[in-house]
Amino acid sequence: MTNATASSNTTTDTHSNPSGPSRPSSPTTPSSLFPLGGDLPVRRIGYGAMRLTDGPGDPTGPDARIWSPVADRAGAVRLLRTAVENGVTLFDTADSYALGANEELLAEALRPYGDEVVIATKVGNLRPGPTDWVPLGHPAYLRQQTELSLRRLGTERIDLLYLHRVDPNVPVADQLGALKSLQEEGKVRHIGLSEVTVEQLTEAERTAPVAAVQNLYNLAARDHDPVVDYTAGRGIAFVPYFPITMGAHAGAGGPVAQVADVARELGATPAQTALAWLLHRGPHVVPIPGTTSEHHLRENMGALGLRLTEEQFARLDGRVPR
């Protein structure tokens, strides 16, 4: 929800952990801002709005349907505005989340903030049923869905538009070409990709500049390490979804059990520590944790103030034996 003029606030700032005791010696503190597309500074912990769908009794976690509008709309609006008040500037949605109702929710909640916030959305997934996600990259469909997103978001230009999934049945050049045409028309500011490999990303870059990649990535899901490294060298934002490992971070014998030890050293929660690892992973990494809890929202933002020593980062990264 930004206008054509980029924010002039390009300085680096830091957030302190609201409950944070003293930090370890010789720490490193990641910058809390990243210039999306080179001209759009965003706070490096955003908010994934996918959780603001469905209602009590509906499946959650990996089984969530993301099909119906959120049951408690007033509470969701309040949560989104609390996110802004706690420093969130990047909000993520998609045309397929509750069949567009999620975009409408963000538009209502964030309209008072205007250019203070950035909304990213996605096109390219059909939802023929509550459990169905079908990639569709036909250029005409991508254009239609973008026009509908513009209407639902109540804006003339989408800050960041992702291709939600690459359609294997349509040439990548045609899919990216559709988004590039929308960009040239002034309807899209920056283009992103979701769930892509380095090979798919490099192919896409031959058609259009890519400002962000959103992939599943966290301490226990490291398949996209090569994409993290590639985007770092290209100045492309890497936006992990499900950035906090689903399930217990510190379960006995679990893949990220070491998080508990580092969290104790930091005086932080395991979730904050997992986010701090992502922030330390690269200055271009911008996690978008989702939550329906104001407490967890504030907890997540507190990760911006955590400082990891190189030894702590290496331990979390799996490069130092326990």
Side-chain angles (χ1 to χ4, degrees):
M1 298 178 75
T2 58
N3 61 22
T5 303
S7 168
S8 61
N9 180 19
T10 58
T11 58
T12 296
D13 66 1
T14 57
H15 270 33
S16 59
N17 184 4
S19 61
S22 59
R23 302 299 173 206
S25 59
S26 302
T28 57
T29 306
S31 166
S32 68
L33 294 178
F34 178 79
L36 182 65
D39 64 358
L40 192 56
V42 295
R43 194 65 45 82
R44 285 188 58 215
I45 290 183
Y47 180 83
M50 185 178 70
R51 292 281 301 277
L52 299 181
T53 55
D54 300 332
D58 288 322
T60 60
D63 299 320
R65 297 185 304 174
I66 317 166
W67 179 251
S68 304
V70 65
D72 182 6
R73 188 178 184 88
V77 169
R78 183 170 57 250
L79 179 69
L80 289 164
R81 292 177 177 173
T82 299
V84 179
E85 293 164 4
N86 281 268
V88 176
T89 58
L90 175 63
F91 292 82
D92 184 85
T93 181
D95 73 329
S96 54
Y97 296 169
L99 301 180
N102 197 250
E103 290 180 326
E104 293 172 342
L105 172 66
L106 264 64
E108 175 188 346
L110 302 178
R111 188 171 293 114
Y113 303 99
D115 295 352
E116 296 176 34
V117 298
V118 171
I119 296 180
T121 192
K122 313 175 197 72
V123 295
N125 255 337
L126 284 173
R127 296 297 309 276
T131 60
D132 299 320
W133 301 79
V134 182
L136 181 59
H138 190 286
Y141 177 73
L142 297 178
R143 173 173 286 277
Q144 170 188 283
Q145 295 308 105
T146 302
E147 294 287 355
L148 290 171
S149 290
L150 286 164
R151 294 184 189 185
R152 286 189 291 261
L153 292 170
T155 185
E156 295 181 353
R157 182 172 66 173
I158 294 171
D159 295 319
L160 173 60
L161 181 67
Y162 290 98
L163 179 64
H164 205 160
R165 291 293 185 272
V166 174
D167 183 346
N169 299 313
V170 178
V172 170
D174 290 352
Q175 297 176 70
L176 268 291
L179 302 190
K180 184 179 181 182
S181 293
L182 289 160
Q183 186 179 49
E184 291 171 344
E185 293 168 19
K187 296 179 178 180
V188 171
R189 183 166 184 168
H190 294 301
I191 295 170
L193 299 171
S194 182
E195 277 302 295
V196 292
T197 64
V198 171
E199 292 72 24
Q200 290 172 317
L201 174 53
T202 55
E203 183 179 1
E205 286 183 296
R206 289 195 282 269
T207 299
V210 176
V213 170
Q214 184 178 138
N215 284 3
L216 171 63
Y217 188 75
N218 56 52
L219 271 168
R222 303 285 298 276
D223 291 347
H224 289 299
D225 272 331
V227 182
V228 179
D229 296 336
Y230 178 83
T231 51
R234 300 284 293 169
I236 297 171
F238 183 82
V239 183
Y241 71 89
F242 291 144
I244 300 173
T245 309
M246 302 177 76
H249 281 279
V256 288
Q258 65 271 29
V259 171
D261 293 336
V262 175
R264 280 192 294 269
E265 294 167 13
L266 296 172
T269 67
Q272 288 176 322
T273 303
L275 289 170
W277 173 79
L278 284 169
L279 295 173
H280 198 116
R281 181 67 174 79
H284 66 306
V285 178
V286 185
I288 50 167
T291 182
T292 58
S293 162
E294 291 187 11
H295 171 76
H296 289 154
L297 171 65
R298 294 186 177 93
E299 176 186 337
N300 292 340
M301 294 307 290
L304 284 167
L306 290 180
R307 297 164 173 82
L308 296 178
T309 65
E310 289 300 328
E311 188 275 338
Q312 287 170 330
F313 174 74
R315 208 182 332 151
L316 290 169
D317 208 43
R319 292 184 282 114
V320 175
R322 298 186 67 196

